Amino acid sequence: MKFASTSSYVAADDLAVAVNAAVTLQRPLLVKGEPGTGKTELARQVAASLDMELIEWHVKSTTKAQQGLYEYDAVSRLRDSQLGEARVHEVRNYIRKGKLWQAFEAPSRVVLLIDEIDKADIEFPNDLLQELDRMEFHVYETGETVQAVHRPVVIITSNNEKELPDAFLRRCFFHYIRFPDAETLAAIVRLHFPGIKEQLLTTALTQFFDLREVPGLKKKPSTSEVLDWLKLILAEDLGPEDLRREGKHSLPRLYGALLKNEQDVQLFERLAFLSRTGRN
């Protein structure tokens, strides 16, 4: 089976090629792109398309690579020993399996998502090199070696918050998800809102792309944000005429779904003011 667009996800041709290449090479697929361009959703759609279970590991700034393998709860074992618990004699009772261990021991091949790897410490990717290469790791407390029953499809996402080590990059198949063009974005919108009228769609997307092109914008709105915006527009039963503005740089209707910080709102307010005073 090969990955392609699904009934709920539009995958550009180059993205589908990247996914299938990574699966063939049995290498992790490192996916970068603007926040909101569907990187996390990609893993879910790959799992659904290839009929595999999805295991998700969402990385935080405090996440350590060891947590993906296992965690040994020495504190609980000490407490149980003080209480005379019988379970204290079996160290396995105090080992909690991480997401990699779960993926390695799965009875069939799974998709493992390591989400937003760039949030963690710079050493985090390097600490996973051997495990992702060899698909095995050692459990020091029990002396056992855990080996992958089936090599999982590993999808790693990054928002480019920090550079990843070269040694890690060499082991990945890389793909950058470009922001969709107008035609692709329209196809994505139609998937989510099948009944949307074409005139409303055209007017909304024209306004949306105009907004993204405004110089000085701190955070450009993403795919997920335009979908939220259109959901509100349809809920309010607004038509194309309701979206048309006096000036190109005026604040759009329901702009809170698109603009996420006060600097960008103030930028549009200044541009609207300059546009009005320029006409007078």
Side-chain angles (χ1 to χ4, degrees), residues 42-270:
L42 170 66
R44 295 168 183 154
Q45 295 297 329
V46 169
S49 177
L50 301 182
D51 194 25
M52 296 180 186
E53 179 190 353
L54 174 65
I55 295 177
E56 302 186 32
W57 184 13
H58 298 285
V59 177
K60 301 178 181 178
S61 60
T62 55
T63 303
K64 302 299 181 184
Q66 179 65 31
Q67 294 172 290
L69 308 180
Y70 68 93
E71 291 183 273
Y72 170 56
D73 192 352
V75 174
S76 291
R77 193 179 188 194
L78 175 61
R79 183 189 63 233
D80 287 350
S81 69
Q82 293 169 339
L83 296 173
E85 296 283 350
R87 67 193 301 267
V88 76
H89 301 294
E90 179 53 71
V91 68
R92 294 176 189 274
N93 292 329
Y94 303 93
I95 291 178
R96 183 167 61 245
K97 297 176 182 180
K99 299 297 184 180
L100 265 72
W101 192 331
Q102 294 172 31
F104 285 5
E105 72 173 5
S108 58
R109 200 175 187 191
V110 301
V111 174
L112 172 63
L113 168 65
I114 304 177
D115 198 29
E116 297 189 335
I117 194 172
D118 53 323
K119 278 188 175 180
D121 184 85
I122 190 62
E123 291 304 318
F124 179 92
N126 280 337
D127 290 343
L128 290 176
L129 288 181
Q130 180 169 305
E131 288 75 16
L132 293 177
D133 256 356
R134 299 183 181 179
M135 285 290 148
E136 66 177 38
F137 63 90
H138 187 69
V139 182
Y140 296 98
E141 288 77 9
T142 64
E144 66 181 308
T145 297
V146 177
Q147 294 180 314
V149 179
H150 302 279
R151 193 178 187 97
V153 176
V154 181
I155 297 178
I156 303 169
T157 71
S158 170
N159 288 326
N160 250 353
E161 290 186 10
K162 63 170 68 79
E163 289 297 320
L164 299 174
D166 289 344
F168 180 79
L169 295 175
R170 282 198 301 272
R171 289 163 169 80
C172 298
F173 190 94
F174 173 76
H175 183 76
Y176 184 86
I177 298 182
R178 295 179 177 84
F179 193 83
D181 58 24
E183 183 178 346
T184 304
L185 188 55
I188 293 171
V189 170
R190 292 188 192 100
L191 275 181
H192 287 81
F193 308 109
I196 192 169
K197 295 179 180 178
E198 287 300 311
Q199 189 176 359
L200 175 61
L201 176 59
T202 300
T203 302
L205 290 189
T206 298
Q207 187 173 9
F208 173 74
F209 278 104
D210 284 348
L211 187 151
R212 275 184 57 90
E213 294 302 316
V214 170
L217 206 59
K218 184 176 181 180
K219 184 195 176 303
K220 294 183 177 182
S222 66
T223 306
S224 62
E225 287 156 348
V226 73
L227 293 175
D228 286 346
W229 184 52
L230 283 165
K231 185 176 182 179
L232 290 173
I233 288 172
L234 293 171
E236 294 289 329
D237 198 24
L238 301 178
E241 64 283 352
D242 298 309
L243 299 183
R244 296 191 181 101
R245 303 155 294 163
E246 293 183 9
K248 183 177 179 180
H249 298 315
S250 300
L251 279 169
R253 296 284 293 268
L254 303 166
Y255 66 84
L258 298 174
L259 302 177
K260 300 298 184 176
N261 58 70
E262 63 278 12
Q263 294 97 319
D264 288 342
V265 173
Q266 291 169 0
L267 171 63
F268 272 85
E269 289 173 341
R270 289 195 300 272

